[in-house]
């Protein structure tokens, strides 16, 4: 039995280590697709169309495509690297649960309650991570890949070599949003060239430029379809003020204590300042007024306070 447990732990460790290494490859893959796409759209097709002087309409279409392409590319990369380099949120060393939320008492927790086991039925709301040897705030989960507890953890994403949590979830959503828009625009922009591959007419360009255009179309179409599914899923999660992990944990729960209505649920992720909704940043006012953006405190429905996740 001990040997079996040791082998399983070793396999999990190797799996987590492999995921860390895979993440760096994924970043290179994303940048590689961006490079191929840029070459196909800007340098091979619409850039030459803009400067060739073939016609006013062709020049206008090329200018419009290039303008939209570059704007979306900037927002995509900004959001992408914001997810990568923003810590999703760690439990502060000095964090303690000040109030017993289950009973709604205003008195601080006693020493007995503070040291209670998470399995203690008398104190089910006090959560403790045995791996990190520390208390866990509400909606916090341990990530085996990162080896730490993450505030409002949604999932560990190998595409960004980081966890998606309280402090970078908005940036991840924007990354999905701008990726979908960018790949859709590229797919539509390269569609005439892709159709031309199967026509009987002669296609201008060298074999390398034609192959790059073909690959860029296929890659962007595949990304657009796959990202659309993730985007729809996460839109539904934001609407219910839940995460991927919580959605699985509460699948048998008819009501969710953190569901405050779609408008307030949206504000818990994107803030109140509309000027910041579509950029990977928050206003100072939102950070001051909305505690949920810091990942430690979340408003909930009083009648559902007894729920524990």
């Amino acid at each position: 039995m001990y040997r079996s447990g040791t082998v399983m732990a070793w396999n999990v460790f190797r799996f987590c280590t492999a995921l860390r290494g895979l993440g760096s490859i994924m970043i290179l893959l994303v940048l590689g697709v961006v490079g191929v796409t840029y070459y196909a759209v800007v340098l091979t097709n619409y850039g030459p169309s803009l400067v060739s002087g073939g016609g006013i309409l062709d020049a206008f279409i090329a200018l419009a495509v290039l303008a939209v392409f570059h704007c979306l590319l900037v927002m995509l990369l900004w959001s992408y690297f914001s997810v990568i380099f923003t810590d999703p949120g760690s439990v502060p060393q000095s964090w303690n649960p000040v109030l017993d939320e289950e009973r709604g008492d205003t008195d601080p927790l006693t020493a007995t309650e503070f040291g209670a086991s998470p399995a203690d039925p008398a104190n089910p709301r006090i959560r403790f991570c045995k791996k990190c040897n520390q208390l866990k705030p509400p909606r916090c989960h341990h990530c085996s890949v990162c080896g730490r507890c993450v505030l409002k953890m949604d999932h560990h994403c190998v595409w960004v070599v980081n966890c998606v949590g309280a402090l970078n979830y908005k940036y991840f959503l924007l990354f999905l949003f701008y990726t979908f828009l960018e790949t859709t625009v590229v797919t539509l922009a390269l569609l005439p060239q892709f159709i031309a591959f199967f026509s009987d007419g002669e296609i201008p360009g060298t074999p390398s430029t034609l192959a790059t255009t073909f690959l860029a179309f296929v890659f962007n179409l595949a990304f657009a379809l796959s990202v659309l599914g993730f985007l729809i899923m996460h839109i539904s999660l934001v609407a219910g003020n839940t995460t991927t992990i919580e959605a699985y944990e509460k699948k048998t729960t008819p009501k969710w204590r953190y569901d405050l209505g779609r408008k307030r649920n949206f504000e818990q992720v994107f803030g109140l300042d509309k000027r910041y909704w579509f950029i990977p940043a928050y206003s100072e006012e939102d950070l001051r007024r909305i505690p949920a953006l810091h990942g430690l405190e979340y408003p909930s429905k009083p009648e559902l306070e007894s729920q524990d996740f």
Side-chain angles (χ1 to χ4, degrees):
M1 179 65 67
Y2 175 76
R3 177 179 175 80
S4 176
T6 303
V7 172
M8 179 176 294
W10 173 246
N11 289 339
V12 171
F13 173 77
R14 292 181 62 183
F15 176 72
C16 295
T17 303
L19 284 181
R20 296 190 190 100
L22 181 62
S24 302
I25 298 176
M26 289 301 191
I27 292 179
L28 294 177
L29 177 61
V30 170
L31 296 180
V33 172
V34 170
V36 170
T37 301
Y38 194 91
Y39 182 82
V41 174
V42 179
L43 301 180
T44 301
N45 291 285
Y46 289 93
S49 297
L50 182 62
V51 299
S52 64
I56 297 179
L57 181 60
D58 291 339
F60 177 79
I61 294 176
L63 180 63
V65 170
L66 291 174
V68 173
F69 174 84
H70 281 93
C71 288
L72 292 177
L73 181 61
V74 169
M75 297 308 300
L76 186 159
L77 293 177
W78 184 9
S79 301
Y80 183 58
F81 286 108
S82 294
V83 183
I84 294 175
F85 293 114
T86 301
D87 191 294
S90 300
V91 182
Q93 291 289 337
S94 59
W95 184 84
N96 292 322
V98 179
L99 303 177
D100 186 338
E101 299 179 20
E102 183 188 14
R103 296 197 304 266
D105 295 343
T106 57
D107 297 327
L109 293 169
T110 65
T112 303
E113 291 172 325
F114 184 82
S117 166
D120 186 350
N123 297 282
R125 296 301 304 281
I126 303 177
R127 304 165 67 239
F128 187 83
C129 179
K130 296 180 180 179
K131 296 180 180 179
C132 296
N133 195 30
Q134 65 181 8
L135 295 171
K136 297 168 64 175
R139 315 185 73 178
C140 178
H141 292 82
H142 184 87
C143 176
S144 299
V145 180
C146 295
R148 60 173 176 146
C149 286
V150 176
L151 301 178
K152 195 185 176 185
M153 178 180 172
D154 187 89
H155 69 287
H156 184 92
C157 183
V158 296
W159 290 94
V160 300
V161 203
N162 199 4
C163 265
V164 176
L167 306 187
N168 64 355
Y169 185 49
K170 172 189 173 182
Y171 309 158
F172 176 74
L173 295 176
L174 290 177
F175 167 59
L176 293 181
F177 176 68
Y178 287 118
T179 298
F180 172 69
L181 292 182
E182 176 78 323
T183 53
T184 300
V185 167
V186 172
T187 300
L188 294 177
L190 297 182
L191 181 60
Q193 288 80 357
F194 180 78
I195 295 176
F197 280 109
F198 304 97
S199 64
D200 296 331
E202 187 172 338
I203 308 173
T206 65
S208 61
T209 58
L210 296 178
T212 303
T213 300
F214 185 88
L215 288 177
F217 176 86
V218 173
F219 283 152
N220 281 271
L221 177 60
F223 270 94
L225 295 177
S226 59
V227 169
L228 178 60
F230 282 108
L231 188 59
I232 293 174
M233 181 189 76
H234 281 283
I235 289 174
S236 66
L237 293 177
V238 172
N241 198 3
T242 186
T243 65
T244 302
I245 294 176
E246 291 169 345
Y248 174 78
E249 290 180 336
K250 73 181 183 67
K251 60 184 178 181
T252 58
T253 304
K255 296 182 179 180
W256 178 232
R257 58 177 298 205
Y258 297 110
D259 187 357
L260 307 176
R262 293 181 179 178
K263 182 176 183 294
R264 291 192 62 189
N265 294 343
F266 178 86
E267 294 169 352
Q268 295 294 305
V269 177
F270 287 85
L272 295 168
D273 196 333
K274 297 180 181 179
R275 297 173 300 175
Y276 287 80
W277 281 358
F278 294 100
I279 63 174
Y282 291 104
S283 68
E284 293 293 333
E285 183 68 13
D286 280 348
L287 291 175
R288 185 181 64 83
R289 295 174 56 187
I290 307 177
L293 297 181
H294 299 280
L296 292 171
E297 302 176 19
Y298 299 94
S300 59
K301 296 179 180 179
E303 68 272 16
L304 300 175
E305 285 291 333
S306 60
Q307 285 186 5
D308 175 41
F309 289 100

